[in-house]
């Protein structure tokens, strides 16, 4: 689609900061065009984020290829530029003007590159928010900006669909959640008790190594996993249970479900063909210590895991100083180089210029 000729030569710049998120009910397994096999729910984080700037210029006519340069953390990065060009081509049906724009994109993360922390959720959501802003400049207003940004983010990385809202986001059609959709995430902060908006997430880095299996490959393994169907069913059941206990601030049930979800994700990888063990011995040692500390102190802290060995320690804000002591005395020795990313539930993306 050619853009209105009056736009030719116009240019602009948009910057978005967008956070990572941590799933409480995990998405693992997909079909079709990045559709989830089960519903998922996540905390939006505050400190671990990507900051992405897109400079754009409207060209005279559509180009054969995507016109794009990409700068990551101060250096030109052709590998990322190629990935983004492919992504842009794949969403040409959504942004038919995308080959008539010259992009100059730069991005950085607030968290160190080699911490084993996946940046796809923050990076893809920041980029999609920039694209939706450019769309509004060149092609007209979107009915629901954040819903559209969530849908575009999903096409870049499924979990990124949940990064565009404050506090909590839910993604994936679920019979008990009106407005839920496989196409985009919906905001969920207002559906739970206030205590959860103050939750902390201390990310204890057990290993800074790259993931041993990419999430694309991990999702694909679910297609031949003999337990896949029962996993999808139990994830949707856990979603119903989790929503109920989060409305009621029932932390005991919250802890039980969140930890079971994390371990179930890892169990799926253990029984895939081929099978993968994504935890390290230090991950298990920390899990045992967290459970022991909880039993002894009755402090409602729990862990969750991504598809890797690092521990996310989740707890209500008022226990922060006690948990600091627990980390220093009992957990830090099991991290690589004393690495911790201290994070908490956050306010969602922010546009920092236009
Ligand atoms: O968004 P992807 O395709 O990288 O998948 C990520 C899946 C998990 O992080 C393991 C779980 C989740 O729901 O975020």
């Amino acid at each position: 689609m050619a853009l209105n000729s009056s736009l030719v030569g116009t240019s602009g710049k948009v910057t978005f900061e967008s956070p990572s998120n941590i799933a409480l009910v995990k998405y693992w397994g997909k079909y079709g065009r990045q559709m989830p096999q089960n519903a998922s729910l996540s905390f939006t984080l505050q400190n671990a984020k990507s900051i992405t700037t897109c400079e754009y210029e409207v060209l005279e006519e559509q180009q054969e290829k995507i016109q794009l340069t990409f700068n990551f953390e101060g250096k030109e990065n052709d590998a990322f530029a190629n990935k983004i060009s492919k992504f842009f081509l794949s969403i040409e049906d959504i942004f038919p003007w995308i080959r008539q724009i010259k992009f100059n994109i730069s991005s950085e993360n607030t968290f160190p590159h080699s911490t084993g922390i996946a940046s796809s959720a923050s990076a893809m959501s920041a980029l999609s928010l920039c694209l939706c802003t450019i769309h509004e400049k060149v092609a007209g207003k979107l009915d629901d900006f954040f819903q559209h940004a969530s849908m575009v983010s999903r096409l870049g990385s499924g979990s990124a669909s949940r990064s565009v809202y404050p506090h909590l986001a839910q993604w994936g059609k679920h019979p008990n959640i009106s407005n839920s959709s496989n196409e985009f995430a919906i905001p969920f902060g207002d559906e739970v008790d206030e205590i959860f908006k103050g939750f902390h997430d201390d990310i204890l880095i057990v290993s800074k190594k790259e993931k041993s299996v990419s999430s694309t490959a991990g999702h694909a393994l679910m297609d031949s996993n003999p337990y896949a169907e029962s996993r999808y069913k139990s994830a949707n059941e856990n979603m119903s249970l989790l929503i109920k206990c989060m409305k009621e601030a029932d932390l005991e049930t919250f802890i039980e479900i969140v930890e079971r979800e994390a371990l179930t994700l890892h169990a799926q990888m253990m029984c895939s063909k081929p099978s993968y063990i994504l935890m390290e011995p230090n991950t298990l040692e920390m899990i045992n210590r967290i459970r022991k500390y909880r039993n002894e102190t009755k402090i409602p802290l729990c862990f969750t895991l991504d598809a890797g060995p690092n521990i996310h320690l989740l707890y209500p804000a008022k226990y922060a100083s006690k948990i600091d002591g627990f980390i220093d005395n009992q957990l830090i020795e099991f991290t690589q180089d004393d690495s911790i990313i201290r994070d908490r539930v956050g306010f969602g993306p922010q546009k920092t210029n236009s």
Side-chain angles (χ1 to χ4, degrees):
M1 181 196 87
L3 286 169
N4 190 313
S5 60
S6 66
L7 288 166
V8 171
T10 58
S11 60
K13 178 172 161 176
V14 53
T15 301
F16 259 99
E17 298 187 6
S18 191
S20 187
N21 67 76
I22 180 68
L24 304 171
V25 176
K26 309 288 181 184
Y27 145 65
W28 201 238
K30 61 180 173 181
Y31 68 95
R33 197 176 178 187
Q34 293 269 94
M35 299 291 193
Q37 291 281 13
N38 62 263
S40 59
L41 182 71
S42 56
F43 277 143
T44 302
L45 297 181
Q46 178 67 13
N47 300 330
K49 56 191 177 186
S50 297
I51 303 158
T52 300
T53 299
C54 287
E55 289 175 348
Y56 63 93
E57 187 190 329
V58 180
L59 303 171
E60 226 164 286
E61 54 188 28
Q62 299 248 11
Q63 307 294 301
E64 206 172 292
K65 290 187 181 154
I66 298 287
Q67 302 295 305
L68 172 152
T69 61
F70 187 81
N71 201 291
F72 182 66
E73 307 204 319
K75 279 197 202 120
E76 210 152 295
N77 189 316
D78 290 341
F80 281 162
N82 285 337
K83 274 193 183 171
I84 293 169
S85 295
K86 270 195 195 146
F87 172 53
F88 280 14
L89 276 181
S90 77
I91 52 173
E92 201 177 353
D93 58 331
I94 297 165
F95 298 127
W97 43 262
I98 206 149
R99 280 189 291 120
Q100 203 184 333
I101 299 260
K102 188 167 163 227
F103 295 94
N104 208 336
I105 306 174
S106 53
S107 190
E108 60 189 79
N109 296 334
T110 55
F111 46 97
H113 188 44
S114 57
T115 41
I117 297 291
S119 56
S120 65
S122 54
M124 281 308 186
S125 56
L127 186 60
S128 302
L129 287 155
C130 289
L131 285 179
C132 288
T133 307
I134 297 171
H135 180 92
E136 292 205 324
K137 301 263 185 216
V138 302
K141 203 159 162 43
L142 294 162
D143 284 345
D144 185 329
F145 181 86
F146 286 98
Q147 191 174 95
H148 204 75
S150 172
M151 185 267 290
V152 177
S153 303
R154 176 198 109 232
L155 295 171
S157 164
S159 59
S161 66
R162 299 185 310 240
S163 274
V164 305
Y165 302 114
H167 307 303
L168 278 114
Q170 189 278 338
W171 172 44
K173 189 83 198 135
H174 190 282
N176 299 351
I177 306 170
S178 54
N179 305 327
S180 62
S181 169
N182 283 345
E183 309 240 350
F184 49 80
I186 56 173
F188 215 70
D190 291 344
E191 309 300 319
V192 303
D193 188 271
E194 285 293 306
I195 192 172
F196 294 104
K197 296 184 185 165
F199 254 56
H200 284 219
D201 176 6
D202 292 335
I203 312 169
L204 300 153
I205 309 298
V206 174
S207 167
K208 299 182 183 180
K209 273 194 277 184
E210 289 266 318
K211 292 197 228 173
S212 55
V213 56
S214 71
S215 66
T216 308
H219 287 292
L221 285 172
M222 286 303 280
D223 294 342
S224 58
N225 186 312
Y227 305 104
E229 284 311 316
S230 62
R231 159 62 195 153
Y232 303 145
K233 190 163 166 271
S234 80
N236 285 332
E237 285 164 6
N238 283 342
M239 176 70 86
S240 301
L241 295 171
L242 194 66
I243 293 170
K244 181 168 181 293
C245 74
M246 289 182 85
K247 274 190 204 308
E248 295 166 358
D250 169 0
L251 292 182
E252 207 176 308
T253 311
F254 173 83
I255 287 168
E256 198 266 317
I257 296 168
V258 167
E259 292 192 349
R260 196 149 41 78
E261 268 294 315
L263 295 174
T264 304
L265 168 69
H266 282 250
Q268 294 307 314
M269 288 307 284
M270 287 183 194
C271 62
S272 292
K273 290 181 203 160
S275 74
Y276 288 92
I277 299 173
L278 303 180
M279 287 189 238
E280 298 281 344
N282 283 355
T283 314
L284 270 183
E285 184 59 39
M286 285 206 256
I287 288 176
N288 288 332
R289 285 176 181 234
I290 291 163
R291 288 182 160 177
K292 186 159 179 276
Y293 180 80
R294 182 169 70 227
N295 283 338
E296 285 169 1
T297 62
K298 307 294 171 220
I299 292 176
L301 87 165
C302 64
F303 68 86
T304 187
L305 305 160
D306 241 325
N310 301 324
I311 297 261
H312 288 247
L313 200 55
L314 305 175
Y315 55 89
K318 71 173 179 180
Y319 298 105
S321 66
K322 285 198 170 126
I323 304 286
D324 265 358
F326 168 54
I327 292 173
D328 286 348
N329 293 332
Q330 292 204 49
L331 301 180
I332 196 81
E333 62 189 286
F334 298 102
T335 63
Q336 186 174 350
D337 309 328
D338 296 348
S339 302
I340 305 185
I341 297 173
R342 290 181 196 277
D343 215 330
R344 56 189 305 159
V345 172
F347 298 106
Q350 230 189 335
K351 185 153 90 170
T352 52
N353 75 2
S354 59

